[in-house]
Amino acid sequence: MAFVEQGVFPGACFSCPDAVRRCVLDDGLQVVKEADRFLLGLRLGRGRAESTTKAYAGAIAMFLRWCASTGRDWRTAARDLSLFILWLKWQPCASAGRTVVVPGPGAEPARGARRINGVLVALRGFLSHAVTEREVPAWVLEQLYQLGDSLDLPSQAQAEDGRLRYRLCAQHRLHEEEPEVDRASDEEVVAMFRACRSARDRLTLLLLARVGLRPGQAAGLRRTDPHLVMDSRSLGCRVEGAHMHVVRRQNENGAWSKSKKAWAMPVDFLVVQAFDQYVLERYELLGAGGSDFLLVNLFRPPYGSPVTPEAIGELCEALSRRAGLDRRVTPRMCRHAMASNVADAGGQLDEIQMLLGQKHPESSRPYLHPAASRMRKAIDRFPSPRELSEGDAR
């Protein structure tokens, strides 16, 4: 049975975040070399996040486990990927506490379509890499992809000259229900803010709901990233006004900015005031010590160590419960609230795109949830048929 284990790159420094990796081991606890080369290239050659490498390693491990349990050679098992999908759907997860496969009417699948598609994405990348390295036959690509054209792509993705383009489409992909992510309401954010018990928690919540950062971006901020003065040229920065720099780095706490590019995020007086209160709180508890990270542990050991992205999610869950909300407000809902508030205030799509640090303009549309009052005003602006007829009569 193949499984995933954390390892260290040979010859690497143990204190270096790049030294941590995920390995796929076989039944004899030996590293599967083909998978290891792919994961090394993914992590170091392509600069993907450690969490992505972990997810890919887990997907490859499941595929190898299925091949071993069904007596298939993984190098040629791509012809039976439909059976692998069926296995993924009904084979119980290790955490489910079940060992018996129970398919059929009324049974709950062990994995949903979104999870299965994620496994297939990792598997296609692994097998394509193996074809390139001539570790598996070239015909495996025909089992993974089929030839398609650009007619089914959105207009933004089609060629400007209108010519037909051919592309490779995945052979196997399940239909996913569109996930519905709601925004956090202003009332919910205010209630959570009042439920905070420290200046650090208030600043963290504002970074999510007022600045629009992801948990990995907020946890990855360093003390030198905020420039909260009107003129930062003395710091070597030409960005006007109070702002924060969001930079993609390798961080010891697992924080990772999804955006590859760095950008400066403007902040308002509420964030500046919350930052000032947090600096005083941190100095009273830690003095001048502690990590170089902005958000650190103040109330439990290890004191001064950086806060993790998972801890930020736990904070939102605790604040939702403490504020007496009837639902759990997640960091993602706070980010949606920030983008929607910008739109409700008259912000344009390109402005929201830049504020969220996104590369493509269309990526910002799912974050827009117009307020009910704005939709009511949009309807009220339309004249009624009676008003139109009365105007013609006059």
Side-chain angles (χ1 to χ4, degrees):
M1 180 184 298
F3 62 98
V4 183
E5 180 178 277
Q6 187 169 334
V8 183
F9 293 123
C13 173
F14 283 84
S15 62
C16 175
D18 283 340
V20 179
R21 78 159 186 249
R22 299 286 171 170
C23 304
V24 179
L25 308 181
D26 59 16
D27 290 333
L29 301 184
Q30 299 298 315
V31 175
V32 180
K33 296 181 179 179
E34 296 85 355
D36 196 49
R37 281 193 290 269
F38 170 68
L39 294 174
L40 279 173
L42 190 73
R43 182 73 175 97
L44 300 181
R46 299 175 59 183
R48 303 296 290 272
E50 195 272 334
S51 58
T52 301
T53 310
K54 175 184 176 182
Y56 274 47
I60 297 170
M62 283 192 287
F63 175 68
L64 297 179
R65 187 186 310 126
W66 172 72
C67 292
S69 63
T70 57
R72 290 179 169 84
D73 184 353
W74 70 267
R75 297 168 181 82
T76 58
R79 60 165 61 97
D80 296 325
L81 275 187
S82 297
L83 296 178
F84 176 56
I85 293 175
L86 183 65
W87 183 87
L88 281 176
K89 185 174 183 181
W90 296 108
Q91 176 65 27
C93 305
S95 60
R98 292 191 292 114
T99 57
V100 180
V101 180
V102 189
E108 287 292 333
R111 299 172 184 87
R114 184 178 181 87
R115 172 66 175 132
I116 294 175
N117 286 334
V119 172
L120 294 177
V121 168
L123 183 57
R124 284 192 290 267
F126 168 56
L127 292 179
S128 299
H129 176 269
V131 170
T132 303
E133 296 294 322
R134 299 184 179 181
E135 296 165 344
V136 302
W139 58 260
V140 169
L141 285 179
E142 301 173 5
Q143 304 295 323
L144 300 177
Y145 298 99
Q146 61 182 348
L147 193 63
D149 55 52
S150 57
L151 294 180
D152 60 340
L153 294 176
S155 58
Q156 297 85 348
Q158 297 187 16
E160 295 181 358
D161 57 9
R163 296 178 60 185
L164 184 66
R165 295 289 190 273
Y166 293 97
R167 62 192 180 93
L168 291 178
C169 302
Q171 285 271 25
H172 305 84
R173 180 175 176 82
L174 300 184
H175 173 71
E176 298 180 27
E177 295 292 336
E178 191 68 26
E180 212 171 300
V181 179
D182 194 10
R183 58 167 288 180
S185 67
D186 293 341
E187 293 76 14
E188 289 173 330
V189 174
V190 170
M192 293 171 66
F193 187 83
R194 290 175 175 172
C196 292
R197 296 173 177 172
S198 67
R200 185 203 59 186
D201 292 351
R202 288 192 291 269
L203 175 61
T204 302
L205 181 61
L206 290 179
L207 291 176
L208 301 176
R210 193 76 180 175
V211 183
L213 298 183
R214 294 184 172 94
Q217 294 168 340
L221 289 174
R222 305 298 177 92
R223 300 169 75 174
T224 55
D225 290 337
H227 294 170
L228 305 182
V229 293
M230 296 306 297
D231 190 344
S232 301
R233 284 179 293 182
S234 61
L235 303 175
C237 177
R238 295 184 176 274
V239 180
E240 296 182 0
H243 62 276
M244 288 187 175
H245 290 273
V246 182
V247 184
R248 191 181 200 183
R249 301 184 179 98
Q250 299 284 354
N251 295 310
E252 63 185 71
N253 60 345
W256 183 263
S257 176
K258 188 176 180 180
S259 302
K260 294 183 179 179
K261 68 172 185 177
W263 82 97
M265 179 67 191
V267 298
D268 61 5
F269 75 97
L270 288 176
V271 178
V272 175
Q273 186 177 22
F275 180 85
D276 290 342
Q277 294 175 353
Y278 167 64
V279 169
L280 293 175
E281 179 182 70
R282 172 172 173 161
Y283 185 79
E284 290 176 355
L285 296 173
L286 298 180
S291 170
D292 184 52
F293 285 80
L294 177 61
L295 301 175
V296 296
N297 289 332
L298 299 179
F299 309 105
R300 62 182 180 184
Y303 299 104
S305 62
V307 167
T308 64
E310 293 76 16
I312 292 180
E314 294 172 0
L315 172 64
C316 288
E317 182 176 3
L319 292 178
S320 301
R321 183 174 60 253
R322 205 180 300 157
L325 303 181
D326 57 359
R327 63 173 182 170
R328 175 191 173 191
V329 175
T330 65
R332 190 179 182 188
M333 294 168 63
C334 292
R335 180 173 166 87
H336 279 243
M338 177 269 180
S340 298
N341 281 333
V342 173
D344 291 339
Q348 302 299 315
L349 192 61
D350 60 336
E351 297 172 339
I352 298 173
Q353 172 198 347
M354 296 302 295
L355 290 175
L356 294 178
Q358 295 175 328
K359 183 178 181 181
H360 301 288
E362 292 300 315
S363 300
S364 304
R365 292 192 183 277
Y367 286 85
L368 305 184
H369 307 268
S373 59
R374 186 155 68 97
M375 291 189 289
R376 169 57 58 188
K377 291 178 182 178
I379 292 297
D380 291 341
R381 285 196 295 267
F382 284 96
S384 66
R386 176 176 295 180
E387 291 173 344
L388 291 174
S389 60
E390 291 176 352
D392 293 340
R394 289 194 295 270

